[in-house]
């Protein structure tokens, strides 16, 4: 696994600052959608998309209170699956939480939302980009090999912005 050259603590402005997308992204949102819709989609209630990292749907119980007695850490993120919702403000906190969970001995984590293809998938893609130095296309391909995902267009725009910022930093 590659180590990250990007630190959320040092560079919060990369994701939360300008919302402009570089005039020369590697792939347009339309091209990313074509990539997402290609191949065979796989969906289970939870799929391992990276070692120890599972992406799932609403079948899983949620809420910090539910997990309190089980020695399970929980991070809840209130997010609308809307193209106008700013998911980028959650990229770094979610990526850091996922990374910390996976660094633990026998660490595993489940990232889930209603269907497990847009909101949760967006945060998993951001994690792979931030902590494993993947490009957006590499992250999509990695996850898509294990689970069909379809982040909404607004989230794709935000991921393109993150991808461009990370490329400039590298």
């Amino acid at each position: 696994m590659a180590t990250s050259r990007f630190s959320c603590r040092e560079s919060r402005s990369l994701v939360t600052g300008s919302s402009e997308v570089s005039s020369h992204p590697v792939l347009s949102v339309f091209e990313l959608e074509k990539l997402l819709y290609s191949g065979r989609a796989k969906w289970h209630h939870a799929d391992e998309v990276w070692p120890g990292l599972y992406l799932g749907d609403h079948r899983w119980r949620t809420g910090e209170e539910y997990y309190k007695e089980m020695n399970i850490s929980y991070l809840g993120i209130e997010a609308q699956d809307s193209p106008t919702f700013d998911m980028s403000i959650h990229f770094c906190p979610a990526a850091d939480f996922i990374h910390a969970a996976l660094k633990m001995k026998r660490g595993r984590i489940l990232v889930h939302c209603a269907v497990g293809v847009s909101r949760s998938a967006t945060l998993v893609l951001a994690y792979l980009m931030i902590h494993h130095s993947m490009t957006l296309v590499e992250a999509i391909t990695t996850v898509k090999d294990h689970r069909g995902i379809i982040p909404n267009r607004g989230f794709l725009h935000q991921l393109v912005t993150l991808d461009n910022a990370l490329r400039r930093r590298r």
Side-chain angles (χ1 to χ4, degrees):
M1 290 183 217
T3 57
S4 173
R5 286 181 256 154
F6 171 79
S7 168
C8 284
R9 280 179 227 87
E10 298 169 0
S11 304
R12 297 226 186 263
S13 63
L14 284 179
V15 226
T16 59
S18 170
S19 62
E20 289 181 27
V21 176
S22 169
S23 60
H24 297 96
V26 173
L27 288 180
S28 69
V29 170
F30 175 74
E31 290 168 318
L32 289 169
E33 287 175 330
K34 283 175 49 179
L35 174 63
L36 288 163
Y37 290 123
S38 67
R40 288 186 357 186
K42 300 174 192 175
W43 278 290
H44 299 96
H45 288 294
D47 295 290
E48 188 173 27
V49 297
W50 184 257
L53 172 54
Y54 296 82
L55 189 52
D57 62 26
H58 73 284
R59 181 181 186 188
W60 310 101
R61 297 194 185 242
T62 61
E64 192 166 9
E65 287 300 313
Y66 179 79
Y67 298 108
K68 191 175 182 180
E69 304 283 325
M70 296 184 220
N71 194 27
I72 293 175
S73 298
Y74 176 83
L75 174 65
I77 294 176
E78 292 290 326
Q80 299 169 359
D81 190 8
S82 164
T84 60
F85 184 83
D86 185 6
M87 184 65 91
S88 70
I89 62 172
H90 300 294
F91 287 172
C92 282
D96 288 348
F97 187 84
I98 293 167
H99 195 64
L102 293 175
K103 284 177 66 176
M104 296 176 70
K105 185 177 181 179
R106 296 190 321 256
R108 291 180 291 166
I109 188 163
L110 169 66
V111 181
H112 70 95
C113 61
V115 183
V117 298
S118 184
R119 289 171 286 186
S120 56
T122 298
L123 294 176
V124 167
L125 294 172
Y127 161 73
L128 293 173
M129 294 165 64
I130 292 167
H131 284 283
H132 295 283
S133 301
M134 289 187 188
T135 65
L136 177 53
V137 171
E138 291 168 336
I140 287 172
T141 303
T142 297
V143 173
K144 199 170 95 69
D145 283 348
H146 303 282
R147 183 180 182 88
I149 58 171
I150 312 166
N152 73 50
R153 280 192 174 174
F155 295 168
L156 286 176
H157 279 288
Q158 294 168 42
L159 288 167
V160 167
T161 300
L162 175 63
D163 190 36
N164 288 331
L166 292 171
R167 286 172 187 271
R168 283 192 299 272
R169 289 284 297 215
R170 292 181 189 130

